[in-house]
Amino acid sequence: MAKYANVLMTNDGYNLFAQSQGAGQLIFTGMKIGDGTLNTSEDIKTLTALKNPLLTANINGIDTSVSGQVTLTAIINNRAVETGFFARELGIYAKIGEDGTEKLYAYTNAGNYADYMPDKNTPVDENKIEITLIIGNASNVIAVINDSIIYSTKEDTDKNIVVAVAAHNNDGSAHKDIRQLINDTIKNIDLSPYAKLLSPEFSGIPTAPTADMGVNTNQIATMAAIVSALKDYTKTTELPNVSGLGIVTQSLAASGYIKFANGFIMQWFQYGNTGNTTTPWPITFPAACVGAIADGNSRETRCYAFNQSNVSYAGDGTYGRVLGWGF
């Protein structure tokens, strides 16, 4: 990079400096580089901008650890340079507060000691610039830092490694046997809420996936799967050997039914009519109705036709019941 002379504060810089000694927040916003040339009669203090700014260098680091001064760091490259130029002048910009106006805080010019900055078609190594400025008693000093352009130099890396190693070595537990740490962690894990793989004992209401109809494996059968299977079995004529499983469902009302696990169904209803009547069964027999009787008070009461859906009977005007059975 160019051999820049001492960085001098401008009049605007002195004004910002004065405001920062009170409650004002001094914010350094960036650096600019240009190819402007100073006349011998020009005074840097009176400048309010670079003579010919051509490149903006974003600040990527700020150090206020030394009382009364600040060190700003920027990385310079030519990725945005369309036309090569001699990097003669460099300016630092700042403002007071977020709503303040950005002004030229300090300036320097390399004159005949400037280096040539080629355009972006001729890539050059990135250069790190550090500028130290006086901030006096200012207690609230920050910089606008663009994280997207922060680079770590070897110096930065070496410094970070030293700090990290020191922190590690000062940690009393940093070198503890890792196997002991693992064992201690395992011992403190509470496994009581979890079921064993061998002969687990469940509590509460455990759930499991419901198998599809026709699955014949060692998969756990849920109540949903059992109910679905029994409902399906009662709709077929080829029933499996499920005798002994008892009643599947029932409705013990004046008009009701009992459905058994093997598919057998008994159902009934009351009547009090006179003459021939057809009445639907409380539920439809899935396959067939094989018999039906009526228990009226006279011999005229009888069932003379029946099927899966209904029964036809002759009533004698008294109250009686019709009983049917099938599957």
Side-chain angles (χ1 to χ4, degrees), residues 230-310:
L230 291 175
K231 286 182 177 179
D232 185 71
Y233 288 150
T234 61
K235 298 177 183 178
T236 63
T237 56
E238 296 181 4
L239 301 177
N241 182 17
V242 292
S243 59
L245 292 182
I247 296 172
V248 175
T249 183
Q250 62 188 9
S251 175
L252 303 180
S255 295
Y257 60 88
I258 299 176
K259 183 185 292 186
F260 295 88
N262 63 358
F264 183 71
I265 299 173
M266 294 181 62
Q267 53 183 316
W268 59 89
F269 60 84
Q270 289 182 337
Y271 68 88
N273 59 293
T274 301
N276 296 339
T277 304
T278 298
T279 301
W281 293 112
I283 61 174
T284 300
F285 290 98
C289 176
V290 297
I293 60 173
D295 66 347
N297 293 329
S298 67
R299 61 184 178 180
E300 284 79 14
T301 303
R302 67 188 187 284
C303 295
Y304 57 86
F306 50 81
N307 56 40
Q308 292 173 253
S309 303
N310 53 60

Side-chain angles (χ1 to χ4, degrees), residues 8-321:
L8 302 177
M9 290 175 60
T10 65
N11 289 333
D12 284 340
Y14 280 113
N15 289 332
L16 295 175
F17 173 84
Q19 295 176 59
S20 70
Q21 303 307 295
Q25 183 183 50
L26 181 59
I27 304 175
F28 290 98
T29 55
M31 298 184 189
K32 292 184 180 180
I33 297 175
D35 65 352
T37 301
L38 285 178
N39 299 324
T40 56
S41 60
E42 286 186 290
D43 186 353
I44 288 178
K45 294 180 182 180
T46 63
L47 295 178
T48 58
L50 267 65
K51 305 286 287 185
N52 187 34
L54 296 171
L55 178 63
T56 297
N58 293 292
I59 298 172
N60 74 338
I62 180 171
D63 182 3
T64 58
S65 60
V66 178
S67 178
Q69 66 182 42
V70 61
T71 298
L72 305 174
T73 304
I75 300 295
I76 305 297
N77 60 61
N78 68 337
R79 293 173 186 168
V81 177
E82 299 294 338
T83 303
F85 66 96
F86 282 95
R88 294 189 183 90
E89 54 180 350
L90 184 147
I92 311 297
Y93 285 79
K95 64 181 180 179
I96 295 294
E98 292 292 342
D99 298 328
T101 301
E102 183 183 68
K103 296 182 179 181
L104 180 62
Y105 187 89
Y107 179 92
T108 184
N109 196 298
N112 294 330
Y113 296 100
D115 284 344
Y116 184 74
M117 176 71 74
D119 63 39
K120 62 184 179 182
N121 296 316
T122 306
V124 296
D125 293 337
E126 292 168 338
N127 289 278
K128 179 179 179 181
I129 294 180
E130 289 187 349
I131 303 294
T132 299
L133 301 170
I134 301 300
I135 58 173
N137 295 323
S139 59
N140 194 353
V141 180
I142 64 172
V144 177
I145 296 178
N146 185 346
D147 292 335
S148 66
I149 50 83
I150 293 179
Y151 302 91
S152 178
T153 64
K154 182 178 183 301
E155 178 184 359
D156 296 331
T157 304
D158 291 343
K159 184 186 298 182
N160 291 334
I161 290 175
V162 171
V163 173
V165 171
H168 174 78
N169 291 335
N170 291 330
D171 186 349
S173 62
H175 299 283
K176 190 174 182 180
D177 189 345
I178 188 64
R179 291 171 297 178
Q180 186 62 46
L181 287 174
I182 294 174
N183 290 335
D184 292 344
T185 302
I186 293 175
K187 289 179 182 178
N188 293 326
I189 296 177
D190 182 11
L191 298 177
S192 59
Y194 305 99
K196 298 182 292 185
L197 292 177
L198 180 63
S199 302
E201 297 179 5
F202 298 112
S203 61
I205 306 176
T207 59
T210 299
D212 295 330
M213 288 300 299
V215 172
N216 185 18
T217 66
N218 290 330
Q219 179 177 345
I220 295 175
T222 64
M223 288 302 299
I226 294 173
V227 171
S228 177
L230 291 175
K231 286 182 177 179
D232 185 71
Y233 288 150
T234 61
K235 298 177 183 178
T236 63
T237 56
E238 296 181 4
L239 301 177
N241 182 17
V242 292
S243 59
L245 292 182
I247 296 172
V248 175
T249 183
Q250 62 188 9
S251 175
L252 303 180
S255 295
Y257 60 88
I258 299 176
K259 183 185 292 186
F260 295 88
N262 63 358
F264 183 71
I265 299 173
M266 294 181 62
Q267 53 183 316
W268 59 89
F269 60 84
Q270 289 182 337
Y271 68 88
N273 59 293
T274 301
N276 296 339
T277 304
T278 298
T279 301
W281 293 112
I283 61 174
T284 300
F285 290 98
C289 176
V290 297
I293 60 173
D295 66 347
N297 293 329
S298 67
R299 61 184 178 180
E300 284 79 14
T301 303
R302 67 188 187 284
C303 295
Y304 57 86
F306 50 81
N307 56 40
Q308 292 173 253
S309 303
N310 53 60
V311 57
S312 297
Y313 55 94
D316 61 0
T318 61
Y319 283 96
R321 294 178 179 81

